[in-house]
Amino acid sequence: MVTAVYPGTFDPVTNGHVDIAMRSSRLFDKVIVGVYDSPPKTLVFSTEERVELFHRAIAHIPNVEVRPYAGLTVDFAKEMGATVVVRGLRMGSDFDYEFNMALMNKKLSPDVELVCLMTRLEYQFVSSSMLKEATRLGGDVRGLVPDHVLSMLGDRLGATKAASISGSISEGGAS
Ligand code: COA
């Protein structure tokens, strides 16, 4: 039985991430999506929300589960009984980053193997930050995230932005 972990920040999960989780589920007996709790990025969603959003996106895949984790990814993998870490590769720049991280992970835990899956063409340009920026600016990101994520993004960023813009316009108008 081979268990893999698929780690990431997932702030929020995109269809690109779901695609990687889905394809991993066909390669491994069990896939555990690891939602890293404290990346060095400004987060929009809490760890619990990121776990829940990913969980809803893969609920139909029986051999995939989602868990939060802290600390090293290789320690999380060991704790889960996983021998594989899965990552998605979108473009050349991802490769350099993954290569460095893989070397460090190999040093930290020689028994854990990295498996990279090429991201599907239609999601090559997608990143969580870009989706958040587009939503903030009123862009339509339908088709790039699951529907429940689209509505959470709209609630969290679209409405806030619209409210703050109209607030500052009316403040500006009054002065
Ligand atoms: N589809 C869509 N977007 C994708 C994608 C795909 N298939 N694959 C990656 N991305 C996006 C992510 O959404 C992310 O976007 P963002 O930067 O706008 O948030 C970006 O590409 C980079 O993603 P990724 O490389 O997966 O980084 P991450 O922040 O999601 O995850 C960890 C990084 C958590 C795996 C890594 O920091 C880690 O292992 N941390 C734990 C500590 C540790 O063990 N460090 C390593 C040894 S020191």
Side-chain angles (χ1 to χ4, degrees):
M1 159 130 175
V2 180
T3 300
V5 296
Y6 174 32
T9 304
F10 309 122
D11 184 53
V13 59
T14 69
N15 283 345
H17 297 134
V18 175
D19 175 56
I20 298 288
M22 162 87 80
R23 285 159 54 204
S24 303
S25 75
R26 297 187 198 122
L27 294 173
F28 306 107
D29 299 297
K30 188 171 171 189
V31 176
I32 300 165
V33 175
V35 177
Y36 186 51
D37 79 335
S38 52
K41 311 183 188 188
T42 307
L43 297 173
V44 168
F45 298 102
S46 69
T47 306
E48 293 69 29
E49 286 170 330
R50 288 178 287 132
V51 168
E52 175 59 20
L53 288 173
F54 211 137
H55 176 72
R56 284 181 64 186
I58 52 83
H60 59 290
I61 316 174
N63 61 336
V64 180
E65 59 184 72
V66 188
R67 288 170 182 245
Y69 77 100
L72 291 173
T73 294
V74 287
D75 288 346
F76 173 64
K78 268 190 238 164
E79 203 185 309
M80 296 294 113
T83 47
V84 174
V85 170
V86 173
R87 298 281 289 161
L89 282 187
R90 291 165 305 164
M91 54 195 97
S93 52
D94 279 359
F95 177 79
D96 294 345
Y97 173 66
E98 290 308 326
F99 194 63
N100 281 337
M101 198 155 68
L103 291 175
M104 177 55 101
N105 284 342
K106 201 74 189 159
K107 171 84 186 137
L108 295 170
S109 183
D111 297 336
V112 175
E113 290 299 341
L114 173 74
V115 171
C116 289
L117 299 181
M118 302 301 151
T119 301
R120 266 166 56 173
L121 192 60
E122 59 264 50
Y123 304 130
Q124 293 271 329
F125 65 97
V126 177
S127 77
S128 298
S129 309
M130 213 179 270
L131 288 169
K132 286 180 280 190
E133 184 177 354
T135 305
R136 270 192 200 103
L137 298 172
D140 184 357
V141 298
R142 234 172 305 178
L144 299 177
V145 290
D147 287 348
H148 64 282
V149 175
L150 187 71
S151 82
M152 269 289 259
L153 267 176
D155 288 351
R156 192 63 55 91
L157 297 174
T160 312
K161 182 67 187 171
S164 77
I165 289 172
S166 70
S168 54
I169 289 172
S170 57
E171 275 165 33
S175 63

